[in-house]
Amino acid sequence: MTVSNALNGRKGVSEKKAHAIRQYAVKVGYQPDYRASSLTRRRTRMIGVCLRATPTVPWWAQLVYEVQKLLYASDFRMTLGIAPEGPKQENSFLDHFMALRCEAVLVGPLGYAYQYKALAHRLSGIPYAIGFETFSDLPIDSVSIDEFAGMQLAVRHLYEQGHRDIGHFGVPDEVFGKSELRTRHNGYLSQMKQLDLSICEQWIISEASGKMALESLLQSGEPLPTAWCTHDDNAATRLIRVLDEMGYSVPGDMSVMGFDNLNIASLIHPQLTTIGFDVHRHARAIVDQLLENVERIRNEQKRTEPVASILTPPLLIQRSSVAQIKEA
């Protein structure tokens, strides 16, 4: 007990003896056993984070770093598991988090309901879980970026610049027909309807058909949109490349809106006007919600609020790929 008190700065040991003990600990390379000390404190202050894929997109990598930084500032530690091989690998990480006695787990992004269903049993053994996305199949708190509102903002910006004929390029095939989800494509459809703008099926080009469908449209002689929303900045980059190859200038002939504010948005020509999100604000919302519930559970307080679905609002980043035109 004397050694423990000295190393932890507690009372009961003279300063001279405590100093000698600390010096000796440094000399022999003593490292405290975090797991053993957590048993004494009856808590680990460990948070598990399980991602389905490697965060290769800079925004996601920065988000994970911001979450870790905020947890560290609150004297919590983060352990990360990346499970690209699917539910089996994911479950192994969740089992590991339980073995470490993590006080909470942050999961996702997954993208499909069946993946969340597979998590339900494992997460029941963890004191608190929070997700990067919202799905009714897994009724846990979530903090996600508001992609639906982001695409609405993109359409509104084009409308405010005088555009009335607006297409959508690079739409993932799996979102078609899922009107109940707050997807980017549904945000596009919703805002077009609210502004009483015509939705032309030929101007909605999927990710799979991509270049071929766009080239066919440009060569068809049919009316063309004056502006495009795109699913993300990578799709916007591909769109601009094809338009350039076909002799169309951006934003001279057509305007292009990106989404995500990836690094490439400021590197291509013209630089992309795009939709982004405040990564620090998003991380702060995640950590605040997580720590609030960790403390609630530790204090054995019953939850009275319903499951929380917190949305981080979008930001418009204006650059040079959108031009103002006169209203027809």
Side-chain angles (χ1 to χ4, degrees):
M1 183 61 73
T2 298
V3 173
S4 176
N5 287 342
L7 293 176
N8 289 284
R10 292 194 289 262
K11 296 179 179 179
V13 186
S14 69
E15 181 55 37
K16 182 178 180 180
K17 182 177 288 187
H19 180 69
I21 291 172
R22 288 193 292 269
Q23 278 192 320
Y24 183 75
V26 172
K27 180 180 178 181
V28 300
Y30 167 77
Q31 293 291 330
D33 188 327
Y34 188 79
R35 287 173 295 182
S37 62
S38 72
L39 292 173
T40 303
R41 296 193 305 265
R42 299 183 65 183
R43 69 180 308 181
T44 63
R45 305 191 76 85
M46 289 287 292
I47 305 297
V49 177
C50 187
L51 302 179
R52 176 53 62 90
T54 304
T56 53
V57 175
W59 192 89
W60 275 106
Q62 187 181 355
L63 176 62
V64 172
Y65 171 71
E66 289 287 340
V67 167
Q68 176 183 267
K69 186 167 66 173
L70 291 169
L71 287 172
Y72 185 81
S74 297
D75 196 27
F76 281 81
R77 300 296 179 267
M78 187 184 89
T79 180
L80 174 65
I82 299 175
E85 297 176 15
K88 183 177 180 181
Q89 188 179 39
E90 191 170 59
N91 287 339
S92 71
F93 280 120
L94 293 175
D95 290 343
H96 179 62
F97 295 159
M98 283 189 278
L100 291 176
R101 298 174 57 242
C102 287
E103 298 189 32
V105 167
L106 175 61
V107 294
L110 306 182
Y112 305 103
Y114 78 89
Q115 295 171 340
Y116 282 93
K117 290 178 181 178
L119 285 178
H121 175 68
R122 283 301 196 286
L123 291 179
S124 64
I126 294 171
Y128 177 72
I130 184 170
F132 281 114
E133 294 176 347
T134 303
F135 268 91
S136 58
D137 300 276
L138 189 62
I140 63 173
D141 290 345
S142 63
V143 180
S144 54
I145 58 175
D146 198 341
E147 298 177 294
F148 183 90
M151 193 58 76
Q152 287 185 314
L153 177 59
V155 174
R156 283 200 308 275
H157 177 64
L158 292 173
Y159 182 85
E160 290 164 0
Q161 302 308 305
H163 296 278
R164 300 295 180 265
D165 300 320
I166 303 171
H168 194 192
F169 180 82
V171 184
D173 292 80
E174 62 267 16
V175 307
F176 287 112
K178 296 183 178 179
S179 59
E180 76 283 2
L181 301 180
R182 288 182 63 87
T183 63
R184 299 180 185 191
H185 182 56
N186 285 339
Y188 162 82
L189 296 175
S190 170
Q191 192 62 62
M192 292 287 285
K193 291 174 182 176
Q194 287 182 31
L195 295 172
D196 198 26
L197 300 179
S198 298
I199 298 172
C200 179
E201 293 298 325
Q202 286 182 297
W203 298 349
I204 298 175
I205 298 179
S206 71
E207 183 179 32
S209 58
K211 181 179 180 181
M212 185 178 299
L214 179 60
E215 289 177 341
S216 176
L217 173 64
L218 295 175
Q219 294 170 345
S220 68
E222 297 292 328
L224 299 174
T226 63
W228 293 91
C229 288
T230 59
H231 183 73
D232 55 35
D233 294 336
N234 290 325
T237 302
R238 295 193 298 271
L239 172 60
I240 290 173
R241 184 183 301 120
V242 174
L243 290 175
D244 181 65
E245 291 172 354
M246 300 291 289
Y248 292 88
S249 69
V250 175
D253 296 315
M254 295 184 201
S255 291
V256 174
M257 278 287 308
F259 203 108
D260 284 334
N261 195 31
L262 303 179
N263 289 348
I264 195 172
S266 61
L267 298 176
I268 66 169
H269 179 76
Q271 293 185 333
L272 278 177
T273 293
T274 188
I275 300 298
F277 296 86
D278 185 332
V279 66
H280 180 77
R281 176 176 178 174
H282 191 57
R284 179 83 268 174
I286 291 170
V287 172
D288 284 350
Q289 184 70 11
L290 188 152
L291 295 185
E292 177 184 331
N293 281 278
V294 165
E295 292 307 311
R296 174 185 59 78
I297 292 169
R298 179 166 173 75
N299 295 329
E300 298 182 349
Q301 297 174 343
K302 289 186 177 181
R303 180 166 186 163
T304 57
E305 304 85 3
V307 171
S309 296
I310 300 168
L311 295 171
T312 299
L315 302 171
L316 174 66
I317 294 94
Q318 297 190 59
R319 295 193 178 98
S320 54
S321 64
V322 172
Q324 187 174 31
I325 63 172
K326 293 181 180 180
E327 185 175 350

